[in-house]
Amino acid sequence: MGKYITERERYKIEILLEEKKSRSYIAERLDIKYHTLRKEIERGTVKQLDSLLAEHYVYKADYAQLVYEKSVSNRGRNLKIGSDYEFAAFIAYMIKDMKYSPEALILYMKNEGIQFSTTLCCKTVYNYLDMELFADVSNKDLPVKKKKCKKKKESSAVSLNNRRGRSIEERDPAVLGRKQYGHWEMDTVVSAQGKGKGCLLVLSERMTREEIIEKMKARTSSSVVHALNMLERKYGSRKFREKFKTITCDNGCEFLDCKGIEKSRYTEGNRTTVYYCHPYSSWERGTNENINRLIRRFFPKGTVFDDVSVKQVEMVETWINSYPRKILGGISSKAYRESLALPV
């Protein structure tokens, strides 16, 4: 309670309002205070015109997110250097003309007893140079050139074509540790653009790097569901549930039938749980991406999978599962699974 509303929660609010759910229901569902929800809806409500040009007001998550980001951008401390222009000019002179580094500059001031109304540490000077706060000097003027690097930021963006999908944020954090068998990543390897509809459905197990490759006639959601149905038939419903505890995929159109992927074809209930990565975050399926490079050794980009036989696909799958992997201590995925007595 009292937490900030996230972008994903804003899209959930929009969906629930479209479904005519009450505000009290939404607040309880998302575990936020009622007055926080009321303020959020007020901030994110926009005026729209219908087909008859009549005005009506609706809550839009993307607009609410823009309002939030704008307000956040105005936050933050005031700069330590403030209006100490004399100190700023001294820093610029020592770095640009005297070729001092920020660390040498601070030491020089300390040794010579030079003081200004403002006190800065070495790290703060570096930060201000990166932010280009000084008129005549930046990190390009440092004695040792330093590239301006961006801090890697974990994505929290919402896929607008898959607002109802279960986000990878909801997946058990223990999956990242790769200590339990049965957590898979799923992707497709497609034909040359405009030359064929056939493609490969690839499933990569995170712990053992086991690979399963299925040829599909087209890159469609129905083809994906059909391929998983065939795997469930092959392994049996009980063994399928044990083998495929979770599946993580991207937001491609072929994976949007979440219910079809999860629902068992032969028994009641679900056969697995599907999670969706953030948009443009392929690193969240790193095992998939690495093993796809092995597949491309046999089927390079430009391959038309309509012309590739099932036998060829099975051969590549066997080769990958027999390939010695440094990350597994020099043995293959197959040997690693056998050493742990895991299901084949």
Side-chain angles (χ1 to χ4, degrees):
M1 304 299 285
K3 63 182 181 180
Y4 287 109
I5 296 176
T6 65
E7 183 180 8
R8 184 168 297 279
E9 288 173 332
R10 289 188 170 91
Y11 281 99
K12 289 181 180 179
I13 291 171
E14 181 179 333
I15 291 172
L16 292 171
L17 288 174
E18 289 174 355
E19 295 175 352
K20 308 299 183 184
K21 301 295 184 183
S22 67
R23 293 185 179 184
S24 57
Y25 171 84
I26 298 172
E28 183 177 355
R29 173 83 176 270
L30 300 183
D31 191 25
I32 58 179
K33 291 183 178 180
Y34 181 86
H35 78 267
T36 302
L37 175 66
R38 178 174 57 80
K39 290 288 187 183
E40 171 64 24
I41 293 175
E42 288 176 0
R43 282 193 294 266
T45 298
V46 297
K47 180 170 67 176
Q48 292 190 334
L49 299 178
D50 60 21
S51 57
L52 299 177
L53 300 183
E55 294 181 354
H56 64 285
Y57 293 86
V58 294
Y59 174 84
K60 288 295 179 183
D62 53 354
Y63 175 76
Q65 184 67 19
L66 285 174
V67 173
Y68 168 75
E69 290 174 355
K70 184 176 180 180
S71 66
V72 169
S73 67
N74 294 327
R75 299 177 187 172
R77 293 181 179 179
N78 293 328
L79 297 176
K80 288 184 179 179
I81 200 166
S83 57
D84 195 344
Y85 302 114
E86 185 180 359
F87 191 12
F90 177 78
I91 291 173
Y93 167 75
M94 292 297 293
I95 291 176
K96 192 167 186 177
D97 296 334
M98 299 301 293
K99 311 299 182 186
Y100 271 47
S101 69
E103 186 174 7
L105 183 154
I106 298 299
L107 289 173
Y108 174 79
M109 290 174 58
K110 181 179 179 180
N111 294 335
E112 297 296 324
I114 300 174
Q115 294 183 344
F116 294 91
S117 60
T118 306
T119 302
L120 297 180
C121 68
C122 177
K123 182 68 168 65
T124 302
V125 176
Y126 272 113
N127 289 340
Y128 287 178
L129 288 168
D130 288 338
M131 295 163 65
E132 299 182 355
L133 295 181
F134 302 108
D136 300 321
V137 67
S138 69
N139 61 7
K140 295 178 182 178
D141 297 299
L142 293 174
V144 178
K145 302 294 185 295
K146 188 178 176 183
K147 289 185 179 179
K148 189 176 181 180
C149 57
K150 293 183 179 179
K151 187 177 180 181
K152 187 175 180 181
K153 186 178 179 181
E154 187 173 344
S155 175
S156 60
V158 177
S159 175
L160 299 183
N161 69 328
N162 189 21
R163 296 182 299 167
R164 297 176 185 270
R166 189 183 293 105
S167 170
I168 194 173
E169 297 169 7
E170 302 175 45
R171 192 179 70 178
D172 187 350
V175 176
L176 290 173
R178 301 178 186 267
K179 300 296 184 182
Q180 183 186 39
Y181 179 83
H183 300 288
W184 298 72
E185 297 171 5
M186 184 164 64
D187 195 15
T188 51
V189 178
V190 300
S191 295
Q193 189 172 3
K195 293 186 178 180
K197 293 184 178 180
C199 65
L200 302 179
L201 179 71
V202 295
L203 290 132
S204 309
E205 205 282 319
R206 288 179 54 83
M207 176 184 170
T208 63
R209 276 69 174 181
E210 178 184 1
E211 186 78 350
I212 295 176
I213 311 175
E214 295 291 320
K215 182 182 176 183
M216 301 194 301
K217 292 182 179 180
R219 187 187 179 192
T220 61
S221 58
S222 59
S223 295
V224 171
V225 172
H226 176 74
L228 292 175
N229 288 343
M230 292 299 99
L231 285 175
E232 185 182 13
R233 182 179 179 182
K234 173 183 176 181
Y235 292 112
S237 297
R238 183 184 61 81
K239 191 173 180 181
F240 187 96
R241 286 189 176 91
E242 294 174 355
K243 191 175 182 72
F244 297 91
K245 295 179 176 65
T246 69
I247 298 177
T248 303
C249 56
D250 60 27
N251 295 278
C253 60
E254 69 271 33
F255 300 130
L256 296 187
D257 186 4
C258 179
K259 291 183 179 179
I261 293 173
E262 291 184 338
K263 183 172 174 55
S264 173
R265 175 79 182 274
Y266 304 100
T267 60
E268 293 293 326
N270 290 342
R271 58 190 175 191
T272 188
T273 304
V274 178
Y275 297 94
Y276 293 91
C277 297
H278 297 105
Y280 311 109
S281 301
S282 58
W283 54 270
E284 293 179 334
R285 294 180 299 98
T287 306
N288 255 164
E289 295 297 317
N290 288 331
I291 297 182
N292 284 352
R293 295 190 184 100
L294 298 179
I295 295 174
R296 286 299 187 186
R297 294 186 186 183
F298 297 88
F299 305 128
K301 289 189 176 181
T303 298
V304 179
F305 286 108
D306 292 346
D307 303 329
V308 174
S309 69
V310 174
K311 189 173 182 180
Q312 288 175 293
V313 173
E314 290 174 349
M315 181 205 72
V316 174
E317 178 183 308
T318 301
W319 183 87
I320 291 174
N321 289 324
S322 303
Y323 186 76
R325 310 293 295 275
K326 181 180 179 181
I327 200 167
L328 299 178
I331 63 176
S332 68
S333 170
K334 181 180 179 182
Y336 185 60
R337 295 198 313 275
E338 290 174 349
S339 69
L340 299 175
L342 294 171
V344 180

